[in-house]
């Protein structure tokens, strides 16, 4: 057998074997490329296609600016006098002093008609000094030596104002001598004591008034007196109907 015959016999078989081998290799590569590889993640390991919600970042509220309080002027508390006082301090209205016996003269005027019993008196204080002074609250009135206590005050007569007197000026208090009550007695004089700014205080010595044209007064425990005022008519209004 010659060489050409040998080549012709083996050539077709070798080509077919090669072709079959190549086809098998191609099929194997295709299968390997399409199937999951060893390094590929399993379906359960793959991240979900649904995006996770992003965390919400809350914007902090801007702090509210509070304006500092504006500096102000606080009025000092006004000092108060004792209960029932018409006000004032130890210097009266702040510029005057309380009137004392040496600053004043006292008169008692009969306000009843002639021939009638004397029951209504007007007490008048006159500033006979050289300085301005103040009379406070109401007078402590004693009618005669047999009086057991000062005459009671008419509370409604408080004028809520100070009676400050310049030299020559006057202050008034109306006095009801008898109110038709029991314990009647005879009085030969009327005297009074002054108060200071504090209700219940006393200033100086008592002052005695001259009797209003009579020797004695018939008095009882129903007597009443008003606060000091600078208007005589206003003071008398509180007793004349009694």
């Amino acid at each position: 057998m010659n060489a050409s015959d040998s080549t012709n016999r083996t050539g077709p078989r070798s080509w077919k074997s090669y072709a079959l081998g190549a086809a098998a290799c191609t099929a194997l590569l295709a299968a390997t490329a399409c199937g999951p590889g060893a390094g590929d993640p399993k379906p359960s390991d793959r991240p979900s296609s649904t995006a996770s919600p992003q965390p919400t970042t809350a914007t902090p509220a801007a702090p509210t600016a509070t304006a500092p309080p504006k500096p102000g002027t606080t009025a000092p508390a006004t000092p108060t006098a004792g209960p029932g006082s018409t006000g004032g301090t130890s210097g009266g209205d702040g510029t005057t002093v309380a009137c004392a016996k040496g600053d004043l003269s006292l008169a008692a005027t009969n306000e009843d008609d002639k021939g009638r019993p004397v029951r209504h008196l007007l007490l008048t204080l006159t500033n006979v000094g050289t300085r301005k002074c103040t009379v406070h609250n109401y007078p402590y009135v004693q009618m005669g030596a047999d009086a057991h206590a000062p005459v009671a005050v008419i509370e409604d007569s408080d004028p809520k104002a100070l009676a400050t007197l310049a030299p020559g000026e006057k202050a008034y208090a109306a006095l009801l001598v008898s109110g038709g009550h029991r314990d009647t007695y005879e009085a030969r004089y009327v005297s009074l004591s002054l108060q200071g700014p504090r209700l219940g205080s006393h200033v100086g010595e008592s002052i005695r008034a001259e009797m209003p044209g009579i020797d004695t007064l018939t008095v009882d425990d129903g007597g009443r007196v008003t606060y000091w005022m600078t208007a005589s008519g206003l003071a008398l209004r509180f007793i004349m109907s009694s």
Side-chain angles (χ1 to χ4, degrees), residues 3-44:
S4 61
D5 291 339
S6 176
T7 302
N8 290 337
R9 287 192 196 104
T10 61
R13 184 182 303 164
S14 298
W15 181 86
K16 287 180 181 180
S17 298
Y18 175 79
L20 290 173
C25 183
T26 300
L28 178 61
L29 289 175
T32 301
C34 294
D40 290 342
K42 296 179 181 180
S44 60

Side-chain angles (χ1 to χ4, degrees), residues 152-180:
V153 67
I154 301 173
E155 294 290 353
D156 291 343
S157 67
D158 186 353
K160 309 298 182 182
L162 293 172
T164 299
L165 310 178
E169 292 184 336
K170 303 177 186 296
Y172 306 94
L175 172 63
L176 179 65
V177 173
S178 61

